[in-house]
Amino acid sequence: MTHWIYMVRHGEQQDAEYGLDDGPLSARGRRQAELIAERLSGVPFDAVSHSPLVRAAETARVIADRMPAIDPQPNALLFDCVPTGMTEDTPASYESFFGSITDAETEAGHAQMSDAVGEFLVRKPGDVHELLITHNFVIAWFVREVLGAPEWRWMTLNQANCGLTVLAQKPGRPWTLVSHNDLAHLPFELRTGLPENALV
C-alpha cells in the first residue's frame, strides 16, 4: 500500500521571456502538456489538483483532455510563491534574487508551503495516486522537505516545464523521492524552463 504524489511543473508560458507574471501556454507548452498526459495515462489517479494560475490551469486542462477520467481541481496551496528570504545560511550569491521580493511575500510563501505540506504530505490509507500541477518553487520546496534539507536549499532545485517528480510513502516509512525532474517523455527541443546548460 503506497501513497504516490506525482508533481508536474506547468507547461511553457506564452511570452514568458518578456517577464509576464502569468499567461496562457505557448504552442510548445501545450505539446509538453500533451506528452506528460501520455506519460501518465496509465496511472489510476484518485485526485488531481492544480495551481489556479493560468499556465498551470491550462496545463491541467490539456492533461484532462487526454485523460477524461480525471477532474482537476484548483488549489490555492499550489500557487507560485517564494517560500523563504535570505537567511544566515543562504549563500550571498542569492542576494540579488531576493532584492525585489518583500518580507511580506516571503512570509506569505512560507506559510503557504507549510500549509501545503500539511495538506499533501499526509499519509492516506490504501494505494493512493495524486497528481499536483504546480510551479518550480513549489516542487522544489516539497523535494527539499522530503529530503530534510535546510530551508534555503529549495533554491538549488530546478524543474523543467512538464518535468515529472514522484514522491512516495509506504506505511511506517518516511516519504521518499522516487524520481526528480524526469524528462524522458520530452524530446530535447521541448525541454524548457531549466537554467542554461542544464537541459539534459
Side-chain angles (χ1 to χ4, degrees):
M1 296 295 184
T2 304
H3 182 181
W4 301 89
I5 297 178
Y6 303 77
M7 304 194 77
V8 171
R9 185 183 178 190
H10 59 80
E12 181 187 72
Q13 179 183 328
Q14 189 175 23
D15 298 327
E17 66 269 25
Y18 299 115
L20 298 177
D21 287 339
D22 194 23
L25 296 181
S26 66
R28 186 160 53 181
R30 293 188 66 82
R31 184 60 183 146
Q32 291 165 341
E34 291 168 355
L35 290 172
I36 188 64
E38 292 175 13
R39 175 78 182 276
L40 296 173
S41 62
V43 180
F45 286 114
D46 300 287
V48 179
S49 303
H50 64 85
S51 159
L53 291 176
V54 172
R55 57 194 186 270
E58 285 201 357
T59 301
R61 281 197 294 273
V62 173
I63 293 173
D65 287 345
R66 295 293 181 105
M67 302 171 65
I70 68 172
D71 181 24
Q73 297 295 315
N75 189 313
L77 295 178
L78 299 177
F79 261 120
D80 201 7
C81 69
V82 177
T84 65
M86 285 293 293
T87 69
E88 293 179 353
D89 300 323
T90 309
S93 58
Y94 290 110
E95 281 188 36
S96 60
F97 171 83
F98 290 109
S100 62
I101 299 169
T102 67
D103 289 344
E105 288 173 321
T106 58
E107 288 171 8
H110 196 276
Q112 176 190 320
M113 285 297 90
S114 178
D115 289 346
V117 165
E119 172 85 13
F120 293 107
L121 289 185
V122 174
R123 173 71 191 170
K124 297 179 175 68
D127 278 317
V128 178
H129 299 266
E130 292 185 276
L131 173 59
L132 309 182
I133 302 161
T134 183
H135 303 274
N136 188 41
F137 295 166
V138 175
I139 298 170
W141 186 264
F142 271 70
V143 172
R144 181 217 59 80
E145 179 76 18
V146 166
L147 295 179
E151 287 194 347
W152 69 269
R153 291 306 298 267
W154 68 269
M155 299 197 67
T156 67
L157 296 163
N158 288 285
Q159 289 69 224
N161 295 117
C162 286
L164 175 63
T165 293
V166 181
L167 312 175
Q169 187 187 44
K170 294 181 181 294
R173 298 184 185 182
W175 282 94
T176 59
L177 178 63
V178 177
S179 65
H180 175 247
N181 195 42
D182 184 345
L183 305 180
H185 51 286
L186 297 175
F188 184 80
E189 64 272 14
L190 292 181
R191 296 180 183 184
T192 61
L194 285 176
E196 192 174 357
N197 300 322
L199 297 171
V200 293

